[in-house]
Amino acid sequence: MSDALTLPARTLTNDASWWRQAVVYQVYPRAFADSDGDGVGDLPGITSRVPYLRELGVDAVWLSPFYPSALADGGYDVDDYRDVDPRLGTLADFDEMVAALHAAGIRIVVDIVPNHTSDRHAWFREALASPRGSAARARYVFRDGRGPDGAEPPADWESVFGGPAWEPVGDGQWYLHHFAPEQPDLNWSNPEVREDFLTTLRFWSDRGVDGFRVDVAHGLAKDLPDPLPSAAELEAMPKDGTHPLWDRDDVHEIYAEWREVFDSYDPPRTAVAEAWVAADRRARYASPAGLGQAFNFDLLEADFDARQFRDVITFNLGLADVSGSSTTWVFSNHDVVRHATRYGLPPRGAGTEKHGKQWLLDGGPEDQLDRELGLRRARAATLLQLALPGSSYIYQGEELGLHEVADIPDDARQDPTYFRSAGAEVGRDGCRVPLPWDTDGASLGFGGPAQLPQPAWFRRHAVSVQEADAGSTLNLYRRALRLRAELQCDEALEWLEAGDPDVLAFRRPNGWTSVTNFGEAPVELPAGEVLLASAPLDGKLPGATTVWLRG
Ligand code: GLC
């Protein structure tokens, strides 16, 4: 099967717009491939799987953090921004990986985590060893505690992962951490912090990195008034660019500086913002004068529903026109319940449970999840996604049709949200289980003992099993990506009248047409040459199926 799909060699050009319609594959390195059997996926493991990525047909790899880290938050607690975690390899291994990816025509995007360092970063250690008011503390956000001896936190704020957002350091001062206590927030009004990140961006750009995924891009700029507002007051403040903590207008001054660094390379380095902001504020992050692109998580948050999909797509293509960027489509990543699982759950409507978290919390997953339906819908949604203008971000394992792993034993859990919510939130470990490559070998070919245990059903999803099955999800992705590369055209889309509220149809300028039946009953297959379908067609377009046509 894989022979039939082998793709021609590809060489990278200096095309400055390569990212606009790229398919970017997210690698969560510790769970991808383990070359030395220590149970931690590593950089040589990624290098060894470059042929797989090439065969899959992705344009770029985005690597979640691979830096030295105590893993208080899966690597998003960075000890040193200009090194590789020794468990994952060395800088030489990094260079080899980049060379192998580039030789295969695949670009590399690395995750950069500028909102916070880890508490083991040299700067934070120095801050703890230095007195209040020192230059070392001014790199972070320290405040005096309230009450006698400063024994009370400076404010009642809650962190994103639950629990207090301020942590005492024993001398009456406290530091701010939006996330875990092991992730102290940096003070971005400090020129030294700004300068150091420019050095980091150059460091990786000089090593051949093509772009950056910017973690919590909307959090860096802060302007804390004195006295500090309460959590309730903060919550009531408008998120219009003047909020003390989130999505401040002045954050874009930082990205304008970054842009100068990006543009000093040929081709210019790219960036994509992870910014959980109101949709109408996203365009500034995506501006060519700033980071250049921003994630849009709207499809990820939508139900499997024709109306919702159409609204989200129309709206985001409009935003892309405003920003001058291309839009981004995402269904799964390392922070959310996998989309095959979300789509297999009873509809819960708009609201707080959109990511399917509630299903996991309910603790009785198997009887509520329709695995088959979920995967069928996920395949349909992905095929629709891959026909859209703009870039598509896909997350390791979705090409294997993996579901979320719900039954991780409590003592194996790693996500800080689980611990900080005292188990009330199970957290994100269920999408971070090491990939199944084979039906045997250490941890199904992952290479070492899987730290998050693989369930028995992972074997059925192994790469080797799917390569041999023409109808597998892996082969669907491979075919779709190959066709997409052939069919790619201008970033425009025309909606076609399908005459059925459950059917969504659109055409790209060159006649490439995608039709999705979101309903249950089969509908007439539209005219045109069938190029690919997410499920067998039988002369009709069945429910929960997408077809690509040349019309
Ligand atoms: C982003 C990352 C997430 C991490 C958080 C703190 O949201 O995607 O995994 O926990 O930032 O760095």
Side-chain angles (χ1 to χ4, degrees):
M1 181 48 53
S2 52
D3 283 346
L5 286 169
T6 298
L7 297 162
R10 220 172 26 170
T11 39
L12 292 175
T13 65
N14 280 4
D15 175 12
S17 60
W18 67 264
W19 52 275
R20 291 193 70 97
Q21 303 213 70
V23 174
V24 185
Y25 181 91
Q26 181 187 358
V27 169
Y28 195 74
R30 292 172 178 82
F32 187 68
D34 176 15
S35 72
D36 57 9
D38 67 354
V40 182
D42 47 36
L43 301 187
I46 297 170
T47 307
S48 75
R49 297 295 180 180
V50 167
Y52 172 79
L53 297 167
R54 179 69 193 105
E55 194 65 28
L56 185 56
V58 299
D59 300 298
V61 161
W62 146 30
L63 207 56
S64 279
F66 51 87
Y67 313 105
S69 169
L71 301 184
D73 180 22
Y76 285 88
D77 45 323
V78 178
D79 298 349
D80 179 350
Y81 292 88
R82 300 195 281 269
D83 206 351
V84 173
D85 189 314
R87 286 164 297 183
L88 270 67
T90 61
L91 282 168
D93 292 328
F94 184 88
D95 294 342
E96 257 179 56
M97 177 192 69
V98 171
L101 285 166
H102 281 172
I106 301 172
R107 315 247 179 198
I108 162 105
V109 170
V110 298
D111 221 307
I112 191 94
V113 189
N115 180 67
H116 41 264
T117 69
S118 80
D119 61 347
R120 308 195 313 174
H121 190 285
W123 275 359
F124 195 69
R125 292 174 195 248
E126 193 188 336
L128 290 186
S130 305
R132 55 156 45 82
S134 58
R137 289 208 176 174
R139 297 185 188 117
Y140 293 90
V141 185
F142 278 88
R143 286 288 181 282
D144 289 335
R146 289 174 304 178
D149 307 328
E152 297 288 315
D156 63 343
W157 305 351
E158 202 181 310
S159 78
V160 173
F161 291 156
W166 291 93
E167 190 74 10
V169 296
D171 61 2
Q173 283 220 306
W174 299 59
Y175 67 88
L176 175 67
H177 57 90
H178 272 333
F179 295 91
E182 296 87 350
Q183 294 167 297
D185 278 49
L186 283 165
N187 169 16
W188 273 88
S189 43
N190 185 329
E192 198 188 348
V193 170
R194 288 164 85 128
E195 198 47 53
D196 194 68
F197 270 85
L198 298 180
T199 304
T200 295
L201 296 175
R202 286 192 204 96
F203 179 85
W204 295 110
S205 298
D206 289 343
R207 296 194 104 90
V209 159
D210 299 283
F212 299 88
R213 179 263 187 189
V214 183
D215 191 63
V216 197
H218 57 310
L220 279 51
K222 298 176 182 76
D223 187 15
L224 302 191
D226 196 14
L228 295 174
S230 68
E233 285 164 343
L234 266 186
E235 186 59 34
M237 289 177 182
K239 297 257 179 70
D240 62 355
T242 61
H243 192 274
L245 298 180
W246 297 110
D247 188 27
R248 292 180 54 76
D249 283 339
D250 49 8
V251 79
H252 299 289
E253 293 166 19
I254 298 168
Y255 301 135
E257 287 177 10
W258 289 23
R259 175 49 57 189
E260 283 180 34
V261 174
F262 298 152
D263 285 353
S264 68
Y265 290 87
D266 180 23
R269 295 335 189 208
T270 67
V272 57
E274 185 219 21
W276 293 87
V277 299
D280 61 347
R281 297 199 43 90
R282 215 180 281 143
R284 293 194 67 183
Y285 292 88
S287 148
L291 293 177
Q293 201 180 41
F295 281 126
N296 123 46
F297 297 116
D298 300 352
L299 269 190
L300 183 157
E301 294 193 318
D303 295 320
F304 186 76
D305 175 88
R307 183 80 246 166
Q308 289 185 40
F309 268 55
R310 181 167 175 156
D311 289 350
V312 163
I313 293 164
T314 303
F315 178 75
N316 280 286
L317 291 177
L319 277 190
D321 284 345
V322 173
S323 67
S325 183
S326 64
T327 194
T328 54
W329 308 111
V330 187
F331 284 119
S332 284
N333 63 33
H334 66 297
D335 288 331
V336 299
V337 171
R338 287 185 178 277
H339 64 294
T341 300
R342 297 199 310 268
Y343 291 153
L345 294 169
R348 297 187 182 262
T352 51
E353 297 158 4
K354 282 181 269 186
H355 292 174
K357 264 192 189 155
Q358 193 55 43
W359 167 74
L360 292 163
L361 300 182
D362 286 347
E366 293 298 334
D367 56 354
Q368 290 184 50
L369 174 65
D370 185 337
R371 286 178 177 268
E372 208 178 312
L373 178 66
L375 179 54
R376 186 181 176 95
R377 287 175 168 172
R379 289 166 57 122
T382 297
L383 206 55
L384 179 158
Q385 170 193 21
L386 292 172
L388 290 171
S391 358
S392 278
Y393 285 78
I394 59 181
Y395 176 54
Q396 72 179 37
E398 67 167 81
E399 80 279 18
L400 304 177
L402 289 186
H403 275 282
E404 189 82 358
V405 180
D407 50 355
I408 294 174
D410 290 350
D411 61 3
R413 291 217 170 265
Q414 297 175 8
D415 188 347
T417 52
Y418 174 75
F419 301 105
R420 289 185 64 79
S421 69
E425 294 223 13
V426 294
R428 302 160 295 178
D429 295 321
C431 63
R432 300 175 177 181
V433 175
L435 289 192
W437 292 94
D438 218 331
T439 50
D440 49 25
S443 302
L444 303 174
F446 166 65
Q451 306 207 341
L452 290 167
Q454 297 163 314
W457 52 264
F458 254 40
R459 175 170 277 112
R460 293 200 300 276
H461 291 262
V463 171
S464 61
V465 172
Q466 300 209 29
E467 280 185 327
D469 171 5
S472 69
T473 302
L474 177 59
N475 276 319
L476 176 69
Y477 272 70
R478 285 178 173 178
R479 288 176 197 285
L481 293 187
R482 185 169 63 167
L483 268 171
R484 175 185 160 101
E486 280 168 29
L487 294 168
Q488 203 46 272
C489 58
D490 285 355
E491 293 165 42
L493 171 156
E494 177 200 355
W495 291 111
L496 303 175
E497 259 338 299
D500 182 327
D502 279 337
V503 178
L504 214 53
F506 60 85
R507 181 165 47 209
R508 302 288 299 276
N510 57 356
W512 173 19
T513 300
S514 174
V515 186
T516 304
N517 179 1
F518 284 83
E520 286 172 20
V523 297
E524 287 306 312
L525 194 57
E529 177 200 352
V530 173
L531 300 173
L532 187 62
S534 64
L537 293 181
D538 268 349
K540 293 266 194 183
L541 181 59
T545 304
T546 295
V547 64
W548 285 2
L549 302 152
R550 205 180 334 237

